[in-house]
Amino acid sequence: MSLVKNYYDVVVIGAGPSGSVSAALLCKKGYRVLILEKEYFPRFSIGESLLPQCMAYLEQAGMLSVVEQANFQFKNGAAFTRGDEYECYDFREKFTEGWGTTFQVQRDKFDKILADEAENKGVEIRYGETVVFYEAESNKAVLTVKNETGEEYKVSARFVLDASGFGRVLPKLLKLEKPSSFLPRGSLFTHIQDNVVDSRFDRNKVLITVHPKYHDVWYWLIPFSNGRASVGVVAPQEFLESMIGDADTKLQLLISEACMLADVLSNANFDTPVRSINGYSCDVKSLYGDYFALLGNAGEFLDPVFSSGVTIALKSASLAAGVVDKQLSGKNPDWREEFEIPLKKGVDAFREFVEGWYDERLQGVVFSKVKNEKVTEMISSVLAGYAWDTKNPYVDKPSRLTALAELCRNE
Ligand SMILES: Cc1cc2nc3c(=O)[nH]c(=O)nc-3n(C[C@H](O)[C@H](O)[C@H](O)COP(=O)(O)OP(=O)(O)OC[C@H]3O[C@@H](n4cnc5c(N)ncnc54)[C@H](O)[C@@H]3O)c2cc1C
């Protein structure tokens, strides 16, 4: 193994959205930033429906215009269906100020655009380099990196941001992982040529479908701008394992049971093998240490139902970049007060919504025929990703959802 080969102000592990955005923000502040990414881009990633709140973080990082120019599918809301029920939220009608529209993106293309833009802004990216070890020394962190030929070398940094997503590099190496409070769920998903002619499907919205019989089983349909779409189902892991057949057979069977979704996809061409992912919800004991912080999925991942993953990843990148800047300029920040607590505020609002989805409080609210305009705007705000706006009563005290569900049930 060679001696220390490099020294950077900040090394970021992973070039997903949280990695590229945090790196660009820190580069903009004048730091020498390196991203180590184990794959070569473009590469497949799940997580294709963005929330309007994302746009503010892309703008902050100077990356919004390249995303706007990429001809991604416009998105202005979320539609929900269960049996013959159908309701939708228009994200432009919301409680919190800010963007009301966004995009649904093929992540191979989206992530490459962000990574290339980070490079254009001065970030160095090394692809095909896997971080395998972390050591804290007296005033810096040292990472061991394995390149594609299997050779190992060291890189040291004044600070490390772990943006490795489900790779969860530092949580694993530093034994920070703790189980998620959510039941283990699994997902089957693929890309299709959707051939949708059914006018009930609004291409400007993500379509979330609840299984007519099993209300803890749900599907997404995320249209892209090129006539293709992402479709997937989420269910308790045991439920998926108890089904007979391969992943393609299971997904097709579940879609055939899904009422409106089955109709909408009746002409679809399933031309791509189905992928699966299991037990993705995860948590950690701490989101930071002396010389590191965890971003996005490397920290906590809740559940895909409200498409909150990329938004939380970008929020964590934006918050962390500010605190790293303070630390590297000798201001001794309080990571708990300035990063963990503010980040968790929004994560906890989403957590209540996810819990409410599976215990059906939120499904009751969504499918209720009686809607109060102001309250609907507050719910719409959280669904649009504005989960950190504490002026919204459902962010300030997310458990208010229980009382709202009760009201909807009694109407
Ligand atoms: C079924 C499902 C559906 C989802 N749908 C949505 C959705 O519609 N909308 C949404 O916003 N979110 C969704 N998500 C969540 C979304 O996928 C993630 O939250 C988001 O991609 C997290 O971004 P990130 O930057 O934290 O990490 P990632 O995007 O995962 O990027 C991590 C990067 O780190 C690299 N890496 C890993 N290990 C190493 C290593 N050792 N060394 C170097 N590099 C490494 C990886 O190759 C990868 O490129 C979904 C998740 C699931 C499971």
Side-chain angles (χ1 to χ4, degrees):
M1 191 186 294
S2 63
L3 291 173
V4 171
K5 193 169 155 186
N6 291 297
Y7 187 82
Y8 289 83
D9 292 316
V10 182
V11 172
V12 180
I13 310 173
S18 63
S20 291
V21 164
S22 59
L25 287 170
L26 284 159
C27 202
K28 205 156 98 178
K29 289 181 192 290
Y31 296 105
R32 246 188 111 214
V33 186
L34 168 71
I35 301 182
L36 295 163
E37 166 57 55
K38 73 171 182 182
E39 307 273 351
Y40 289 90
F41 281 19
R43 55 91 180 92
F44 179 86
S45 178
I46 194 64
E48 297 142 328
S49 194
L50 305 183
L51 300 181
Q53 169 75 91
C54 282
M55 307 292 266
Y57 304 124
L58 294 173
E59 201 166 21
Q60 187 193 6
M63 291 175 160
L64 187 58
S65 60
V66 283
V67 172
E68 284 177 321
Q69 285 157 25
N71 192 30
F72 288 122
Q73 172 65 45
F74 174 80
K75 173 181 170 185
N76 62 20
F80 296 86
T81 172
R82 184 177 66 180
D84 54 9
E85 298 169 288
Y86 179 91
E87 295 292 331
C88 62
Y89 285 85
D90 187 324
F91 291 157
R92 292 164 297 189
E93 291 155 17
K94 58 174 171 32
F95 176 84
T96 307
E97 293 281 304
W99 285 85
T101 64
T102 184
F103 300 108
Q104 324 230 45
V105 301
Q106 294 92 332
R107 283 287 301 277
D108 53 352
K109 185 174 163 191
F110 178 73
D111 289 16
K112 178 152 171 48
I113 285 173
L114 296 191
D116 287 351
E117 192 56 17
E119 266 185 322
N120 288 339
K121 292 181 186 310
V123 173
E124 182 183 339
I125 305 185
R126 294 184 198 163
Y127 291 98
E129 311 264 308
T130 305
V131 174
V132 294
F133 199 66
Y134 171 96
E135 291 157 279
E137 292 189 355
S138 59
N139 57 356
K140 63 179 191 283
V142 181
L143 294 173
T144 306
V145 186
K146 195 184 254 189
N147 67 20
E148 58 186 342
T149 62
E151 188 193 328
E152 290 189 355
Y153 66 92
K154 293 193 178 195
V155 175
S156 51
R158 297 166 69 198
F159 205 87
V160 171
L161 289 172
D162 184 358
S164 62
F166 292 121
R168 299 175 62 73
V169 173
L170 294 189
K172 285 180 183 157
L173 289 173
L174 302 178
K175 305 207 177 346
L176 297 171
E177 291 188 292
K178 73 172 190 196
S180 163
S181 56
F182 290 111
L183 187 81
R185 293 190 169 84
S187 179
L188 303 171
F189 51 90
T190 190
H191 284 181
I192 56 174
Q193 188 68 35
D194 62 66
N195 299 324
V196 177
V197 284
D198 194 319
S199 60
R200 288 174 297 174
F201 179 52
D202 177 355
R203 286 198 89 84
N204 293 335
K205 294 185 173 61
V206 59
L207 176 66
I208 302 293
T209 301
V210 182
H211 191 284
K213 185 165 167 202
Y214 309 111
H215 290 179
D216 58 347
V217 175
W218 62 272
Y219 314 70
W220 75 77
L221 179 60
I222 297 172
F224 298 131
S225 54
N226 59 356
R228 297 185 64 77
S230 169
V231 62
V233 63
V234 170
Q237 224 163 284
E238 279 182 359
F239 177 95
L240 292 175
E241 281 161 10
S242 70
M243 291 177 72
I244 294 164
D246 60 15
D248 290 73
T249 312
K250 290 179 187 181
L251 180 60
Q252 296 264 6
L253 176 68
L254 287 168
I255 290 173
S256 73
E257 295 170 354
C259 306
M260 176 181 148
L261 180 67
D263 294 347
V264 162
L265 293 182
S266 56
N267 297 318
N269 183 9
F270 284 72
D271 54 9
T272 310
V274 171
R275 296 171 185 256
S276 65
I277 180 168
N278 281 323
Y280 37 71
S281 300
C282 49
D283 202 356
V284 284
K285 291 175 208 156
S286 173
L287 283 174
Y288 60 90
D290 285 346
Y291 306 115
F292 73 86
L294 310 180
L295 306 184
N297 281 12
E300 182 172 9
F301 180 66
L302 299 171
D303 189 273
V305 65
F306 299 119
S307 310
S308 58
V310 172
T311 301
I312 294 173
L314 297 191
K315 174 74 184 184
S316 69
S318 164
L319 274 174
V323 189
V324 169
D325 180 32
K326 266 191 165 177
Q327 175 147 336
L328 298 190
S329 47
K331 293 196 187 107
N332 199 17
D334 182 336
W335 275 88
R336 189 174 140 71
E337 287 295 325
E338 295 174 56
F339 177 67
E340 189 162 274
I341 292 177
L343 181 63
K344 287 222 174 217
K345 186 72 196 162
V347 173
D348 286 344
F350 278 125
R351 187 191 320 282
E352 186 74 18
F353 272 49
V354 171
E355 282 168 1
W357 177 259
Y358 288 108
D359 65 25
E360 297 193 40
R361 280 174 299 153
L362 191 61
Q363 289 189 32
V365 171
V366 166
F367 292 112
S368 168
K369 288 285 163 225
V370 189
K371 292 230 167 31
N372 171 296
E373 197 183 320
K374 203 80 218 151
V375 171
T376 301
E377 285 177 6
M378 291 168 185
I379 301 296
S380 181
S381 251
V382 177
L383 297 180
Y386 294 93
W388 289 269
D389 176 12
T390 50
K391 290 199 256 6
N392 183 340
Y394 294 92
V395 171
D396 182 47
K397 200 167 165 223
S399 60
R400 286 194 167 104
L401 187 61
T402 304
L404 177 60
E406 195 66 27
L407 268 175
C408 292
R409 220 187 346 262
N410 294 334
E411 285 292 346

